[in-house]
Structures are given as structure tokens and as C-alpha cells.
């Protein structure tokens, strides 16, 4: 093995920082199901404030944040308008059908960005079609490459939703990355929405958790679904303490992850047999087109670089806080060797 492993599978692989571990150790806690954990309350208040919302609810995962939001906003048997390849549909095991009892209506989303007129056209109140109940966006959009939804588009889609009387939810698992890429504060990214699920365990490096933000009334309804789904955690302050450190100290550095992803993408684009759409490399993700995704991922793993093969001809590489200086250059060298090895492998 040529040196330490470079793990580019996701920004979820980071370990808590020493400051997070100290905060976990020292956390003041109580039983959060009784609403008595002061550290959870502090985290919820902090994230709500950063997002410009009235209230926040600490949930164990981004999946729970999204699915609770869907269940609160949409009545059973209705349709939820989502951008194509949205995580809330594609990677959450059909949870929207199981929990909220809703079906998706997809809108085209080149680079993860739907056109407001397509969202308007997707709204239905025909007697023959499931009624529309909710509009969802994802920012950054994972499967589109970690791409950013421009603020004006989010506002325009919000206006469409409002005109149709529909609530508007953001899967903001990486909304802090979107804010960093746009050079704005988080509340600007969250402003058009009625609810946002924000993950602390992705780019910000906390070990566990997301905060679902919205109005006080929304939080009240979401709280019940969290309990129903088994998400009522007891002395969750040990987790919230790490998440507070993440929010307070890890947002400013996201631009470094973005710069590293860009260097990685530009380097990979030079390698024979790799195609990269550089315009979609906007934050901390790189999707690389290769002839044999799983084969390339396996050859890279032998060189000490971990990536996720997503489909037969594609791998995803994600930069994050646990990368060391020089890791991007080392990963590129190893990728070159892996490709050579694949090229000379017997068919
Ligand atoms: N995404 C994970 C995997 O599930 C693919 C990753 O490695 O990127 N929304 C978005 C946009 C996400 O990317 C994810 C996680 C979630 C929601 C779900 O978050 P968790 O894993 O905390 O349930």
C-alpha cells in the first residue's frame, strides 16, 4: 500500500475533531424526550438562528430530517414535486411512500436546477391525478455533482409554490456548501423555504445529526413524527455538543474543500479514459465518467484511494476536512497508476 489511505467516498467519513471530542466529554445533558437537554436546545437555537428560522429540531440523520418534513407537509396519497435524481427519492429507500405515503413527480433539473416554469407545469389539481402537496429542492444537489441552486431560481420556485398554495422544503444536507460557494450566509440560502433539513455530519464533520428548521408550528408537528419514527433520543447533548463545534468552527473552511475538489477534477480530466464535466464541479464533489466504474474503484482501492462507484460508468470523489495537504496530488498519482493497470489488465 503506497502510504495512508485517502478516503474520498464521502464527506461523511470524517472523524470528530479533538475540539468536538472535548465538547462531547464536557457536555451538559438531560433527557431530551422530556425536552430537558440544554445542549440539544442550544444546538437547535443556534442552527435555527443561522438559518433565519424560528425553530430547529435535532434529528439523527438527514434522511429522518427530510422524511419528517415530507410527512408534516404532505397528506397521504398526494404528490411531491422533486428535482430529478433527488436524494429524498433516489437514496432514501422509498421512505416517502412508506412514511408520508406520497409519490414523487419529477421535474427536469440540469445541474440540479429545475426551471420555475417546469415546477409550475408539474402542479396538479386535476381530479385524475394525485394532488400536489409540496415542492422540494436539493442544494447542493448530490447526484448532479454537488451543484448549487442560484438564489434567484430558489426564490422564483418559492413564488411558484406559494402561488399554488404549496409548502416548499429544502434538502439542505449540504446547504452550508451552497452558501460557501455562493459567498452568502446560510440564511440567504434558506430564505425561500418553509422547512430545511441541514446536515452536520457531512462537510461540517460532526459525528452524527441534522437539524430540521422551520416555524415554531412546523417544529411542533415535526417533533411528533420524530418520536413516531423512533428518533426521540435521550442524553443527545453528547452529540449536539460536537455539532455545535461543527457549526461554530467548520463552516468557514468549506471553501478549502471546494478548491481541493476543483484541483482534483482538473487533474483527473487530464487522465486518459476519464471524462469530467468541469462546469458541474461547483463544491466538494467530483463525478468522473470512466469505462468501468466498479473496476476503476477497485483498482483505486488497491492503490489506497477509496471512492464510490455510482453506476457502471461513473465514480464519485468527495473532498472533506480530514484530507491532508498533498492528498489531492497523491490521489491523482494513484489514479494515474490505477488507470494504467486497468488498461493493461487482461480482458
Ligand atoms: N448522502 C450520502 C449517501 O446517502 C449517498 C452521501 O454520501 O452523499 N440529502 C442528501 C443530499 C444527501 O447527500 C444525504 C446523504 C442525505 C440527504 C441523507 O443523510 P443521512 O445519510 O444523514 O441520512
Amino acid at each position: 500500500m503506497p502510504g495512508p489511505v485517502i478516503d474520498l467516498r464521502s464527506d461523511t467519513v470524517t472523524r470528530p475533531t479533538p475540539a468536538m471530542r472535548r465538547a462531547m466529554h464536557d457536555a451538559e445533558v438531560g433527557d431530551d424526550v422530556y425536552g430537558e437537554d440544554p445542549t440539544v436546545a442550544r444546538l437547535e437555537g443556534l442552527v435555527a438562528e443561522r438559518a433565519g428560522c424560528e425553530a430547529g429540531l435535532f434529528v439523527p440523520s438527514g434522511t429522518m430530517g427530510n422524511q419528517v418534513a415530507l410527512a408534516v407537509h404532505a397528506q397521504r396519497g398526494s404528490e411531491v414535486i422533486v428535482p430529478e435524481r433527488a436524494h429524498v427519492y433516489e437514496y432514501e429507500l422509498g421512505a416517502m411512500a412508506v412514511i408520508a405515503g406520497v409519490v414523487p413527480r419529477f421535474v427536469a433539473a440540469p445541474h440540479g436546477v429545475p426551471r420555475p416554469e417546469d415546477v409550475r407545469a408539474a402542479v396538479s389539481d386535476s381530479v385524475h391525478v394525485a394532488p400536489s402537496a409540496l415542492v422540494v429542492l436539493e442544494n447542493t444537489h448530490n447526484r448532479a455533482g454537488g451543484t448549487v441552486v442560484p438564489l434567484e431560481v430558489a426564490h422564483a420556485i418559492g413564488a411558484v409554490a406559494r402561488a399554488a398554495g404549496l409548502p416548499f422544503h429544502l434538502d439542505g444536507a449540504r446547504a452550508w456548501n451552497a452558501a460557501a460557494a455562493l459567498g452568502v450566509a446560510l440564511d440567504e440560502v434558506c430564505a425561500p423555504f418553509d422547512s430545511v433539513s441541514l446536515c452536520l455530519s457531512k462537510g461540517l464533520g460532526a459525528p452524527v445529526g441534522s437539524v430540521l428548521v422551520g416555524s415554531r408550528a412546523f417544529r411542533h408537528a415535526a417533533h411528533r413524527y420524530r418520536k413516531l419514527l423512533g428518533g426521540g433520543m435521550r442524553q443527545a447533548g453528547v452529540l449536539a455538543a460536537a455539532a455545535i463545534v461543527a457549526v461554530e468552527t467548520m463552516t468557514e473552511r468549506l471553501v478549502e474543500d471546494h478548491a481541493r475538489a476543483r484541483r482534483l477534477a482538473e487533474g483527473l480530466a487530464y487522465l486518459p479514459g476519464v471524462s469530467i464535466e468541469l462546469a458541474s464541479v461547483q463544491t466538494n464533489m467530483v463525478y468522473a465518467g470512466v469505462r468501468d466504474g466498479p473496476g476503476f474503484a477497485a483498482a483505486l482501492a488497491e492503490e489506497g484511494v477509496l471512492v464510490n462507484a455510482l453506476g457502471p460508468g461513473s465514480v464519485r470523489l468527495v473532498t472533506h476536512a480530514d484530507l491532508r495537504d498533498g492528498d489531492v496530488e497523491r490521489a491523482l498519482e494513484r489514479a494515474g497508476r490505477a488507470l494504467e493497470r486497468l488498461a493493461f489488465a487482461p480482458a
Side-chain angles (χ1 to χ4, degrees), residues 48-323:
E49 189 207 309
R50 294 282 172 103
C53 293
E54 276 179 7
L57 181 72
F58 188 42
V59 291
S61 66
T63 301
M64 193 184 286
N66 281 333
Q67 297 301 329
V68 162
L70 262 57
V72 170
H73 290 306
Q75 60 279 25
R76 299 187 81 72
S78 63
E79 245 177 33
V80 173
I81 298 169
V82 295
E84 60 187 344
R85 318 204 70 189
H87 195 283
V88 71
Y89 168 75
E90 207 156 298
Y91 281 108
E92 298 183 15
L93 296 104
M96 66 163 66
V98 178
I99 298 166
V102 296
V103 287
R105 161 81 54 179
F106 298 105
V107 287
H111 291 292
V113 184
R115 297 188 322 161
E117 52 270 40
D118 290 342
V119 174
R120 188 176 300 115
V123 175
S124 97
D125 60 0
S126 153
V127 72
H128 302 291
V129 183
S132 307
L134 172 69
V135 180
V136 174
L137 279 191
E138 185 173 315
N139 197 9
T140 64
H141 191 299
N142 183 341
R143 288 310 308 270
T147 50
V148 179
V149 179
L151 293 179
E152 61 278 13
V153 177
H155 278 286
I157 295 174
V160 168
R162 236 184 350 270
L166 303 178
F168 193 25
H169 172 72
L170 176 65
D171 177 350
R174 296 186 180 82
W176 264 289
N177 292 84
L182 291 164
V184 301
L186 182 72
D187 60 349
E188 287 204 47
V189 173
C190 298
F193 299 92
D194 297 294
S195 59
V196 182
S197 174
L198 292 153
C199 289
L200 308 156
S201 62
K202 309 223 160 35
L204 303 194
V208 177
S210 298
V211 176
L212 183 56
V213 295
S215 66
R216 267 185 219 99
F218 171 79
R219 186 195 186 278
H220 182 74
H223 191 225
R224 302 185 84 88
Y225 276 106
R226 182 183 73 174
K227 184 81 168 90
L228 183 146
L229 295 174
M233 298 182 286
R234 302 291 177 175
Q235 284 71 30
V238 287
L239 301 175
I244 290 170
V245 175
V247 173
E248 287 180 338
T249 68
M250 302 291 279
T251 59
E252 306 265 292
R253 57 157 307 289
L254 289 173
V255 289
E256 283 174 39
D257 294 347
H258 299 179
R260 282 180 165 152
R262 170 93 347 222
R263 286 212 310 278
L264 188 60
E266 285 170 355
L268 284 169
Y270 273 108
L271 297 177
V274 180
S275 66
I276 307 264
E277 206 200 343
L278 284 171
S280 71
V281 182
Q282 299 173 8
T283 57
N284 67 333
M285 290 188 182
V286 182
Y287 280 77
V290 287
R291 193 170 45 81
D292 171 11
F296 183 45
L300 268 176
E302 281 179 41
E303 294 289 338
V305 178
L306 304 182
V307 302
N308 269 326
L310 292 168
S314 168
V315 297
R316 186 187 73 165
L317 305 91
V318 186
T319 56
H320 53 73
D322 279 6
L323 295 182

Side-chain angles (χ1 to χ4, degrees), residues 6 260 263 324-331:
I6 302 171
R260 282 180 165 152
R263 286 212 310 278
R324 293 143 298 199
D325 284 340
D327 273 355
V328 165
E329 290 66 29
R330 278 187 285 274

